C-alpha cells in the first residue's frame, strides 16, 4: 500500500476518534496536506506534510512516516508520523502559557450568595415589579 485516504490515516494515527470526526474536520478546512486544503478522499503518501488545526488555535504539523488502514494501539499509531520541531515548540509554548495563565475562579470577588443574600436579591426583584408597566385590563384608560 503506497497511498491511503487522509480520513482513514487520521483515524488510524489516532488524531480523531472516528473517521466521521476526521471527515468533518476535513470538511471544515482544518486539515492541509503539503500546504493545500485537503478533501476526505485525498490520498496521502509517505513523506507528505499534514497540518492539523486543533481547538484553541493550536496547529500540529506532522510528516507522514507510514500508512495504515487499521487503527492500532497508540505506540504503533505514533510511528505513523513524526512531528516537526516547530510544531513541538508551539505546543510547548501553548502548554506553558496555559500553565502560567490565571485561574478563572480567582476573578470571582464573591462566592455563592448566602441564604440571606438570596432573600435580599429576591426582595429587591419583587419590589422592582411594582414600578413596571403592566398589561392588565384594569390599567387601561382607553374607555
Amino acid at each position: 500500500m503506497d497511498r491511503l485516504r487522509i480520513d482513514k490515516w487520521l483515524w488510524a494515527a489516532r488524531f480523531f476518534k472516528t473517521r466521521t470526526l476526521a471527515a468533518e474536520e476535513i470538511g471544515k478546512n482544518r486539515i492541509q496536506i503539503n500546504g493545500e486544503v485537503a478533501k476526505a478522499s485525498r490520498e496521502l503518501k509517505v513523506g507528505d506534510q499534514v497540518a492539523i488545526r486543533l481547538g484553541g488555535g493550536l496547529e500540529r504539523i506532522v510528516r507522514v512516516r507510514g500508512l495504515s488502514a487499521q487503527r492500532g494501539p497508540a505506540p504503533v499509531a505514533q510511528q505513523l508520523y513524526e512531528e516537526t520541531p516547530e510544531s513541538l515548540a508551539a505546543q510547548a509554548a501553548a502548554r506553558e502559557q496555559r500553565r502560567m495563565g490565571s485561574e478563572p475562579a480567582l476573578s470571582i470577588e464573591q462566592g455563592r450568595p448566602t441564604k440571606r443574600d438570596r432573600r435580599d436579591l429576591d426582595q429587591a426583584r419583587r419590589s422592582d415589579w411594582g414600578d413596571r408597566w403592566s398589561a392588565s385590563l384594569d390599567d387601561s384608560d382607553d374607555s
Side-chain angles (χ1 to χ4, degrees), residues 22-54:
E24 286 175 5
E25 293 298 306
I26 293 168
K28 294 176 184 175
N29 296 334
R30 293 182 181 163
I31 309 295
Q32 292 183 350
I33 300 173
N34 297 328
E36 298 176 6
V37 176
K39 292 187 178 180
S41 62
R42 170 84 187 262
E43 291 191 339
L44 194 64
K45 63 183 184 302
V46 175
D48 283 345
Q49 184 171 328
V50 180
I52 306 162
R53 235 182 337 172
L54 302 171

Side-chain angles (χ1 to χ4, degrees), residues 23-118:
E24 286 175 5
E25 293 298 306
I26 293 168
K28 294 176 184 175
N29 296 334
R30 293 182 181 163
I31 309 295
Q32 292 183 350
I33 300 173
N34 297 328
E36 298 176 6
V37 176
K39 292 187 178 180
S41 62
R42 170 84 187 262
E43 291 191 339
L44 194 64
K45 63 183 184 302
V46 175
D48 283 345
Q49 184 171 328
V50 180
I52 306 162
R53 235 182 337 172
L54 302 171
L58 185 64
E59 184 176 56
R60 292 182 72 181
I61 302 171
V62 297
R63 186 158 308 277
V64 178
R65 293 177 59 199
L67 302 174
S68 175
Q70 292 182 336
R71 187 176 171 105
V76 174
Q78 289 172 351
Q79 294 175 357
L80 296 177
Y81 61 90
E82 176 185 6
E83 196 145 3
T84 62
E86 297 86 22
S87 178
L88 291 172
Q91 281 184 10
R95 193 177 311 117
E96 184 66 19
Q97 186 177 8
R98 279 193 307 271
R99 190 178 75 78
M100 297 302 286
S102 65
E103 175 66 31
L106 295 178
S107 64
I108 300 173
E109 294 177 5
Q110 299 179 20
R112 201 170 156 179
T114 62
K115 196 170 189 177
R116 172 179 274 168
D117 294 338
R118 187 79 214 154

Side-chain angles (χ1 to χ4, degrees), residues 16 28 34 37 54 89-90 113 121 124 127 131 133-134 136 138:
F16 298 101
K28 294 176 184 175
N34 297 328
V37 176
L54 302 171
L121 286 169
S127 67
D131 299 338
W133 173 80
S134 174
S136 66
D138 299 335

